[in-house]
Amino acid sequence: MVVHVDGKVGEDLLAEWGRKYFAVFFREGDKYVGVLAAELKTLPKEIEPWVRDIYPTSSNIQLASREYKDELRLIRLGTDIEIGGSSSRTLMIAGPCSVESEEQIDQTAHFMKEIGVRIIRAGCYKPRTSPYAFQGSGKKGLEWLVAAGKKYGLKVITEVRDATHFDEVADLSDIIQVGAKAMYDQGILRGCGRSRKPVLIKRGFGSTLQEFVQAAEFVLSGGNTQVMLCERGIRSFETKTRFTLDLCGVAYLKYHTNLPIIVDPSHAMGAAYGVSDLSAAALAMGVDGLLIEVHPCPSRALSDAAQQLDFQSFRSLYKRLDSLAQAVSRPLL
Ligand code: PEP
Ligand code: MN
């Protein structure tokens, strides 16, 4: 159950209700938004006099549910980039898996600018499966990425691997990426809830849709309204592709949640050849954006080499998507 509570209620009362009813309250303008345990079917008598509106929700999807907010949430970046809401655009996010050098990220940013992509992605703190693989360029990489973004007028999204560099990433990036492996990290999620930067949460590859949306609830219940979900493939019995892109899940999320949905075909497929087809399928479904890995020389990439597109392949993918986007009235942004 979600409730809107009069802003004049004292913090002491809110804290007491929080303990008693496992409720979370956060300030939104002149009121408080409160989320009470979904199992609670009737509003406790002591809260009632302070409540302005009640939104019953039927599951543990609360702030992200259509029952609470029927319209798609809007995310704003600067003055001219709008994701979700009634924008009906398909946001393109592209860039290498990792920042590897100043030259590599500069070259990619230059290419993005030339194509018309507005947001560059690249990881600086990489959550690798092996401790003996490239772990990312860290702070240095972040500085190169931010500098390239500034130079070419691009917004920047990069991943938080753990709490040690949360503030650094939250300060310097335009969108905070929570990776598939970090989807359950409550330190990161709560940090995102305190931040007022847009957040993109990737689905853990072993996570149900319910768990995925509940990760978003941690951020939303911290008072950060700008959350996007990113489907990037889940583990199935199939071994011919790296993961299985769950487009059923995307349809579920579009129908049941009010969060913009981004699809990442690169990590799902794990091979460059499938990325264009998966992007086309997701775009035709009407997702809010695509996140695609692009590298100046994929064969030399230090992470995810097999799935990254070279510039030429990205150019033809972009052309294909551009006409498809016109046909389904969701122009590329
Ligand atoms: C990435 O975006 O490079 C990445 C590590 O993705 P994921 O968290 O989906 O594995
Ligand atoms: Mn990657």
Side-chain angles (χ1 to χ4, degrees):
M1 179 188 304
V2 181
V3 291
H4 286 174
V5 176
D6 193 300
K8 293 196 190 70
V9 68
E11 295 280 339
D12 290 350
L13 262 185
L14 290 179
E16 189 185 318
W17 298 341
R19 281 191 297 274
K20 242 172 153 168
Y21 304 109
F22 307 122
V24 176
F25 296 91
F26 60 91
R27 186 110 207 166
E28 197 179 82
D30 64 346
K31 62 176 186 296
Y32 287 96
V33 179
V35 186
L36 288 81
E39 302 80 58
L40 216 61
K41 293 294 171 243
T42 54
L43 189 65
K45 279 271 168 293
E46 60 185 313
I47 302 185
E48 216 175 87
W50 294 95
V51 166
R52 291 188 197 163
D53 305 292
I54 306 178
Y55 305 87
T57 49
S58 53
S59 75
N60 272 328
I61 299 177
Q62 310 245 51
L63 297 167
S65 73
R66 290 270 171 177
E67 291 158 315
Y68 173 52
K69 255 189 206 315
D70 197 20
E71 69 279 11
L72 189 61
R73 286 174 187 265
L74 176 70
I75 291 165
R76 275 183 215 279
L77 280 176
T79 50
D80 60 342
I81 301 181
E82 290 193 343
I83 308 162
S86 53
S87 67
S88 291
R89 303 290 295 266
T90 312
L91 179 75
M92 295 295 284
I93 303 173
C97 180
S98 302
V99 177
E100 296 168 2
S101 69
E102 191 170 13
E103 192 196 359
Q104 172 241 19
I105 202 65
D106 184 275
Q107 228 180 322
T108 313
H110 184 206
F111 174 65
M112 292 299 138
K113 174 80 182 171
E114 194 185 304
I115 294 268
V117 170
R118 311 284 305 274
I119 304 187
I120 187 165
R121 60 137 290 140
C124 304
Y125 295 96
K126 298 300 297 179
R128 303 306 299 281
T129 307
S130 164
Y132 312 119
F134 174 61
Q135 304 293 303
S137 310
K139 181 80 190 284
K140 199 97 225 108
L142 191 53
E143 285 163 5
W144 292 332
L145 176 63
V146 170
K150 270 213 175 73
K151 181 168 167 191
Y152 298 102
L154 308 173
K155 299 290 182 197
V156 161
I157 171 168
T158 193
E159 174 172 8
V160 180
R161 180 180 61 207
D162 57 59
T164 57
H165 50 261
F166 182 87
D167 292 338
E168 200 180 290
V169 170
D171 284 350
L172 292 173
S173 64
D174 297 296
I175 305 175
I176 306 167
Q177 178 174 324
V178 179
K181 290 170 184 156
M183 193 206 89
Y184 290 108
D185 187 315
Q186 305 220 344
I188 292 177
L189 294 173
R190 287 180 195 278
C192 290
R194 285 189 295 273
S195 166
R196 289 299 171 261
K197 287 271 171 84
V199 177
L200 177 142
I201 305 178
K202 292 186 130 195
R203 180 180 183 181
F205 47 76
S207 306
T208 64
L209 293 164
Q210 176 76 31
E211 290 162 342
F212 186 21
V213 183
Q214 278 174 310
E217 291 283 338
F218 273 97
V219 182
L220 294 167
S221 63
N224 187 346
T225 58
Q226 306 204 84
V227 183
M228 294 169 261
L229 298 176
C230 178
E231 163 61 30
R232 46 77 75 213
I234 53 175
R235 186 156 280 164
S236 70
F237 55 80
E238 188 51 73
T239 55
K240 296 290 187 201
T241 58
R242 189 179 182 192
F243 294 99
T244 296
L245 188 65
D246 183 12
L247 293 184
C248 292
V250 171
Y252 172 90
L253 296 168
K254 275 182 69 189
Y255 186 77
H256 287 280
T257 79
N258 54 36
L259 304 175
I261 313 294
I262 309 294
V263 166
D264 166 358
S266 303
H267 289 85
M269 189 69 201
Y273 74 84
V275 170
S276 178
D277 283 351
L278 293 179
S279 303
L283 190 151
M285 281 180 79
V287 297
D288 300 286
L290 292 165
L291 182 148
I292 295 170
E293 286 193 341
V294 183
H295 190 285
C297 181
S299 61
R300 289 220 301 270
L302 298 178
S303 59
D304 288 348
Q307 72 199 29
Q308 303 202 56
L309 301 184
D310 59 23
F311 290 176
Q312 199 188 333
S313 312
F314 186 78
R315 204 185 285 279
S316 40
L317 167 145
Y318 194 91
K319 211 164 150 216
R320 176 186 185 188
L321 295 187
D322 198 26
S323 43
L324 185 57
Q326 301 297 336
V328 297
S329 303
R330 296 193 66 92
L332 299 184
L333 172 64

